[in-house]
Amino acid sequence: IMYRNGIGSFSSSDPIDLAHLRGKRGVTFPGASRVIPELGSLPKDFFALFVEREHQRDHSEMLIRGQVDAVIADAMIFAHYNGMVLGGRGPSPVFTDAFAPTCYVMVFRNAEYRDVFDSGLAKMIETGQLRRIDERYIQSSGLGPDIHYVGDDGAPKCPSRS
């Protein structure tokens, strides 16, 4: 599992990076400063306001209402909630893939379940099904051609479980 964390905003400077957020108001998911090393190393006074809020729909609502200047989130989660909140009305925020991906692996207590999962995933990669799913969701999200969760070979970009 890979999260493509970045910055979503209505900024006219595209792409933006963390330096653009100095003195601004931002919202992100709980624990982001532990998951994204760049956030954890910022001085306490970097942001004018910085909150970690659990419900990511709130992030999009806060951005659209002008309560924050930027959202730090996963690309697909950000796009999903913007679509829900905006409903196709008004301009869409811009997303910048600003951080290294955060990777997680599936862990199973039962080796049989792990093997069945691994076999199914291998078949999805081999047949191109995983790549097609990735392309379908990226296309429908409006994120653009540079945000993908699988590599050119159709395999996840994160290292596999060893």
Side-chain angles (χ1 to χ4, degrees), residues 47-62:
F47 291 97
L49 170 74
F50 187 69
V51 294
E52 294 184 355
R53 181 169 276 181
E54 182 177 348
H55 300 292
Q56 294 195 18
R57 180 184 174 125
D58 292 350
H59 301 181
S60 294
E61 290 174 347
M62 291 171 74

Side-chain angles (χ1 to χ4, degrees), residues 3 5 13 16 33 40 53 59 77 95-96 111 120 134 156-157 160 162:
Y3 287 88
N5 291 311
S13 67
I16 65 170
S33 57
R53 181 169 276 181
H59 301 181
I77 294 170
F95 184 85
T96 303
D134 180 68
K157 291 184 175 184
S160 62
S162 4

Side-chain angles (χ1 to χ4, degrees), residues 24-86:
K24 305 283 186 189
R25 301 162 302 158
V27 63
T28 191
F29 56 92
S33 57
R34 290 187 311 275
V35 173
I36 303 170
E38 296 90 336
L39 286 179
S41 65
L42 292 174
K44 295 288 182 206
D45 63 350
F46 182 84
F47 291 97
L49 170 74
F50 187 69
V51 294
E52 294 184 355
R53 181 169 276 181
E54 182 177 348
H55 300 292
Q56 294 195 18
R57 180 184 174 125
D58 292 350
H59 301 181
S60 294
E61 290 174 347
M62 291 171 74
L63 180 65
I64 290 161
R65 288 193 302 251
Q67 295 172 312
V68 295
D69 302 299
V71 173
I72 297 175
D74 170 72
M76 289 296 286
I77 294 170
F78 181 69
H80 172 75
Y81 286 113
N82 287 335
M84 286 179 67
V85 172
L86 287 169

Side-chain angles (χ1 to χ4, degrees), residues 115-134:
D115 295 345
V116 168
F117 176 87
D118 288 348
S119 174
L121 181 60
K123 287 176 188 170
M124 290 177 71
I125 293 167
E126 184 181 312
T127 64
Q129 183 180 12
L130 189 61
R131 179 71 179 173
R132 288 189 301 276
I133 291 169
D134 180 68

